[in-house]
Structure formats: C-alpha cells, structure tokens
Amino acid sequence: MAAGCCGVKKQKLSSSPPSGSGGGGGASSSSHCSGESQYRAGELGLGGASTRLNGLGGLTGGGSGSGCTLSPPQGCGGGGGGGGISLSPPLSCGVGTLLSTPAATTASSPSSSSAASSSSPGSRKMVVSAEMCCFCFDVLYCHLYGYQQPRTPRFTNEPYPLFVTWKIGRDKRLRGCIGTFSAMNLHSGLREYTLTSALKDSRFPPMTRDELPRLFCSVSLLTNFEDVCDYLDWEVGVHGIRIEFINEKGSKRTATYLPEVAKEQGWDHIQTIDSLLRKGGYKAPITNEFRKTIKLTRYRSEKMTLSYAEYLAHRQHHHFQNGIGHPLPPYNHYS
C-alpha cells in the first residue's frame, strides 16, 4: 500500500493548530492505525473490561478516515471529553514493563502468507500464526452464511492484547479494524474482534458475502509494553507508541499508532508524535516544550496477514482438523 497499513493518502502534518472547528483531526477524527480514548486503570491487562480500539482511525462514530481508534464500551465524547485515569502506576523510565506476555510458541504459516514481528530478531519465537487468520475467516464466513460458529481452535489460548484488521481488493483498502489493549484469551478475543471489526466499525457498512473473496485478514498481537521518560525513546518501524497528554481544555487524552504505521507513512519521530497529538484532539500549537510533557508507552507487535485465497488453500489441506464443520466456500477470483 502506498500510504501505510490503511491504504489512505498520507496525512499533511503540521505543528500549527488546525483551521476550522474540525481541522487537524479532533478526537472524533480518524487517523491511520491510530487509537484514541480515555483509558481506565483496568486496561492493558491490568483488570477491568476490555477496551475496544477502532483500528486505524478516529473514535468510533466519528470521522471517515482510516486509522485505529480506541472505542471503549462507554462513549468517549468529542475532542474535549472527561479526564481519564493514568495508564498504569508510574514505572522506571525506559524499562518498566506494563504487560508481561506469555512464553511464545512456534508459528507455522503458508509460504505465501505475510508474517511480521517488531520484536528483536532471534529474541523469541512467533506466537501469531496463519491458523489465527484462518480462524477469523472461519468465524466471519460462518456468520455471513448462517452456519454454526467453528469450534475451539488448536492454537494457543494465552492472553494478549490484539487487533483484527480487514482489507479488501488488490490495493488492500482498509475495510475494518478494531482491537483491544486489554489482554484477552486468544480464542474468545479473536472470535469477538473478528465480528466487531467486520460488522461494527462505524466508518464502514457491515461486510457482506460478496466481499469475502477479496478480503485480507491480519491478526496483530501486542507485546513488550514499556514506559519511557523521553518521548523520542522509541524506534520507527520497531515500536508502536501510545501517548497520554493533557489537552488545551485540561482533559487527559490518549492515542496510539501500531508499529508499522510510522515507517509506512514515511514519518520521523516528531511527525509521528505530532500526528498522534492531532488525532488525539489537541488543537493548540505544538511546541517542543509541550512534546516533553507527553507520557509515552512503547510496545511491539507480531502480525500475520492471510488472503482469502490463502485461507481456502489452507483449509483444503486441513479441513475438519480444527473443528471446521461447514462446507468450504467456493473459490472466486479477485475482481
């Protein structure tokens, strides 16, 4: 995709305040794989209800772009919404782990599928797998055709924060993306967010049967959350970042970009931070002094992408081995 994981035009970045009441992307605007919300202490696996991230855009119900927004069950309001609670108790700068992740297992995938990890090379085995994407396709297919939902899959059921992203067509346009920063057991989490991202992303109409043959499914598992003292202490293309700041109205705001976004957009550290501030609803001029007040959490991810054609090929070899009780869908070439 020419413009990052959402397949949208690159944003025009500026440290100047946006013009007009809605310029620059308030809290209800969307951004490329961005997440905006007011967090509760229960998030990031620290307890409490899971928080939905409307992947790749503004807050659910706002804007028409294609970023990843946090959309908690309760409304976040507009650009000024009430104050949130700190992400977690303060930790040591640079190395404070916010989320301990389970031991990884080897992931097998078809050679044609796409797997990516922002973890250090050789440091750990991949947990994300092609079977997770196949399971997401199973869940969506069964829902759209009225079949009984697939039985429990065989991949690990350990808890992770996760995203499910759908793209469509040869140019891989964003079709839906919602996830959570709360660690969820993968079996139930992928089942839930498969349908949520496909049917309830407010920027798009619910998916239909006709779209299935042109879909791509991506599963992202988020790991290695760390608080850092310096807002520049993260690596483009390696870390996802979540920022927390106080806006010009005195309200606490947050926003996030997944690890691949800044690199795909061609942004440096400052451009990425400034884009997140705008998407988080900050409308005042952005100065270096204000950037230094940001609380930043960096994290990594594992991502697997599978096309519908790859899903069919995989299922034809493993039909019924993973609890699939519905007929295989007919193959259709991409239009």
Side-chain angles (χ1 to χ4, degrees):
M1 292 139 290
C5 66
C6 301
V8 296
K9 294 181 180 179
K10 291 187 178 182
Q11 301 173 9
K12 295 181 180 180
L13 303 179
S14 173
S15 60
S16 301
S19 59
S21 60
S28 62
S29 300
S30 60
S31 64
H32 189 81
C33 286
S34 72
E36 301 155 15
S37 175
Q38 294 165 8
Y39 281 75
R40 297 171 297 168
E43 296 166 6
L44 292 175
L46 300 176
S50 62
T51 300
R52 293 180 179 177
L53 291 80
N54 174 359
L56 317 152
L59 288 173
T60 296
S64 58
S66 52
C68 280
T69 1
L70 310 182
S71 57
Q74 67 275 25
C76 295
I85 300 176
S86 176
L87 183 67
S88 68
L91 300 176
S92 337
C93 296
V95 295
T97 300
L98 294 178
L99 178 68
S100 58
T101 56
T105 56
T106 303
S108 60
S109 63
S111 58
S112 56
S113 63
S114 172
S117 174
S118 62
S119 300
S120 301
S123 62
R124 60 194 294 271
K125 294 181 179 180
M126 295 274 283
V127 176
V128 71
S129 68
E131 186 61 30
M132 295 179 186
C133 295
C134 285
F135 179 66
C136 293
F137 269 117
D138 286 338
V139 170
L140 181 60
Y141 180 87
C142 288
H143 175 84
L144 293 177
Y145 281 88
Y147 291 111
Q148 183 178 355
Q149 281 295 304
R151 294 186 288 274
T152 302
R154 295 185 177 182
F155 53 77
T156 179
N157 193 33
E158 301 213 8
Y160 282 88
L162 59 91
F163 275 89
V164 177
T165 303
W166 298 99
K167 295 184 179 181
I168 191 168
R170 294 183 182 275
D171 53 352
K172 298 181 180 178
R173 302 181 307 278
L174 181 68
R175 188 60 180 83
C177 181
I178 298 179
T180 176
F181 271 139
S182 297
M184 292 187 69
N185 290 334
L186 288 177
H187 295 174
S188 60
L190 291 177
R191 190 186 298 270
E192 174 181 344
Y193 283 99
T194 289
L195 296 181
T196 301
S197 60
L199 306 174
K200 298 180 180 179
D201 189 323
S202 63
R203 297 160 299 167
F204 307 99
M207 286 185 187
T208 64
R209 298 178 185 180
D210 293 340
E211 294 177 287
L212 273 171
R214 297 183 291 135
L215 289 177
F216 295 80
C217 178
S218 296
V219 172
S220 298
L221 306 182
L222 310 186
T223 65
N224 301 94
F225 288 83
E226 297 175 306
D227 275 340
V228 296
C229 288
D230 187 343
Y231 72 94
L232 297 176
D233 188 9
W234 56 279
E235 186 175 346
V236 172
V238 173
H239 296 107
I241 59 171
R242 175 193 177 277
I243 64 170
E244 180 181 291
F245 62 94
I246 304 299
N247 67 12
E248 64 276 13
K249 296 182 179 181
S251 298
K252 186 175 295 184
R253 304 297 295 172
T254 63
T256 189
Y257 278 143
L258 297 177
E260 63 269 24
V261 175
K263 182 177 181 179
E264 290 179 346
Q265 290 282 356
W267 293 339
D268 59 23
H269 289 74
I270 299 297
Q271 289 174 314
T272 306
I273 293 294
D274 288 359
S275 175
L276 271 181
L277 286 169
R278 292 298 183 218
K279 294 308 172 183
Y282 188 73
K283 296 179 172 61
I286 300 174
T287 65
N288 195 49
E289 289 304 312
F290 181 77
R291 294 186 190 104
K292 291 179 180 179
T293 68
I294 292 170
K295 294 181 180 179
L296 187 141
T297 301
R298 67 187 185 191
Y299 59 88
R300 297 173 184 252
S301 76
E302 297 179 6
K303 182 180 179 181
M304 175 68 70
T305 299
L306 215 63
S307 70
Y308 183 77
E310 291 166 337
Y311 158 67
L312 290 184
H314 191 79
R315 279 292 175 251
Q316 286 167 355
H317 286 92
H318 303 283
H319 195 46
F320 293 109
Q321 289 187 3
N322 295 286
I324 309 305
H326 60 79
L328 279 172
Y331 177 77
N332 290 304
H333 291 281
Y334 295 108
S335 60

